[in-house]
Amino acid sequence: MCSPKYILSILFLVIIITPSAPGVDGNMMSMLDFRYFRCVMKREWKCPDSEIGFYLFTPERPVSQRINVRHIHLLPKLGWKLTRKNVFIVHGFNGTHAKTPMSFIRDAYLWRKDYNVFMVDWSKLSRFPCYLSALANMRLAAQCTAQLYSYLTQNGALAKMITCVGHSLGAHICGMMSAHLTKKQYKIIGKSVFLE
């Protein structure tokens, strides 16, 4: 049986985190939104993780190609070229690899014709209204992305030819990747979001 303190703390989180629905009369029950209980907070920190996806886009193949990180040696067959620069693009809270502004950033790099573009999709771990669990899940997203980064450097890619671009919480993931790398990242570009 749940203690009263536990129930009150969950109720507080639901009320604070969940936006009120339009046209609601303001009573206590209308404030409850049990969508919060669909949030995912990872307890195991193992990579690869099925809820973190990586997608490769290249100038020759500007379409989404999911990378099977268990068979990472197949990257060249997907169009990855060692001679090109690499960019990791990481979305923020309630984003995906296919939503704007991430798609704009991806297309800008592809337009240059000299980048392998890796999109990191951790949307299942960062969906609305689960901000608190998204904060906790950033560590795992950073760890798994760092493993892919390490694979590239171990197979000849130069760190100075790899950039990590992050939007909002994605910027923090780019920074957190360094904790899992033996070589420092050369370039991180971050854009945070401020609410007005």
Side-chain angles (χ1 to χ4, degrees), residues 87 89 101-115 117:
V87 63
I89 301 174
M102 310 325 291
S103 58
F104 292 147
I105 297 168
R106 176 200 66 214
D107 293 344
Y109 276 101
L110 288 174
W111 180 78
R112 292 182 48 128
K113 305 285 188 204
D114 61 343
Y115 275 90
V117 178

Side-chain angles (χ1 to χ4, degrees), residues 64-77:
S64 181
Q65 302 176 89
R66 186 165 176 124
I67 299 168
N68 183 341
V69 290
R70 295 187 191 280
H71 301 286
I72 204 76
H73 60 279
L74 298 176
L75 270 181
K77 291 187 178 185

Side-chain angles (χ1 to χ4, degrees), residues 66-166:
R66 186 165 176 124
I67 299 168
N68 183 341
V69 290
R70 295 187 191 280
H71 301 286
I72 204 76
H73 60 279
L74 298 176
L75 270 181
K77 291 187 178 185
L78 297 176
W80 179 75
K81 291 187 178 168
L82 180 61
T83 55
R84 282 199 284 250
K85 299 173 191 169
N86 299 281
V87 63
F88 286 86
I89 301 174
V90 190
H91 67 80
F93 177 64
N94 199 36
T96 71
H97 80 283
K99 278 186 183 178
T100 58
M102 310 325 291
S103 58
F104 292 147
I105 297 168
R106 176 200 66 214
D107 293 344
Y109 276 101
L110 288 174
W111 180 78
R112 292 182 48 128
K113 305 285 188 204
D114 61 343
Y115 275 90
N116 300 303
V117 178
F118 293 92
M119 303 291 289
V120 180
D121 192 324
W122 63 297
S123 57
K124 293 178 182 177
L125 303 178
S126 64
R127 68 179 138 208
F128 181 83
C130 308
Y131 191 75
L132 296 178
S133 54
L135 289 175
N137 293 330
M138 285 191 318
R139 244 181 10 177
L140 179 61
Q143 178 182 327
C144 294
T145 306
Q147 283 190 354
L148 180 56
Y149 182 104
S150 293
Y151 171 82
L152 297 181
T153 56
Q154 289 168 6
N155 284 278
L158 301 174
K160 68 180 181 179
M161 291 179 66
I162 303 175
T163 302
C164 190
V165 178

Side-chain angles (χ1 to χ4, degrees), residues 8-85:
L8 284 175
S9 64
I10 294 298
L11 181 60
F12 175 77
L13 284 173
V14 171
I15 291 170
I16 295 301
I17 293 173
T18 306
S20 58
V24 174
D25 62 6
N27 68 28
M28 185 64 133
M29 286 309 288
S30 67
M31 295 170 125
L32 294 178
D33 184 343
F34 292 100
R35 288 179 300 167
Y36 188 77
F37 297 105
R38 290 193 314 224
C39 298
V40 176
M41 189 174 298
K42 298 303 268 189
R43 293 202 165 100
E44 288 189 51
W45 301 96
K46 291 184 189 172
C47 297
D49 186 280
S50 62
E51 294 177 308
I52 300 171
F54 299 99
Y55 297 85
L56 175 64
F57 296 78
T58 64
E60 300 83 21
R61 295 182 187 177
V63 293
S64 181
Q65 302 176 89
R66 186 165 176 124
I67 299 168
N68 183 341
V69 290
R70 295 187 191 280
H71 301 286
I72 204 76
H73 60 279
L74 298 176
L75 270 181
K77 291 187 178 185
L78 297 176
W80 179 75
K81 291 187 178 168
L82 180 61
T83 55
R84 282 199 284 250
K85 299 173 191 169

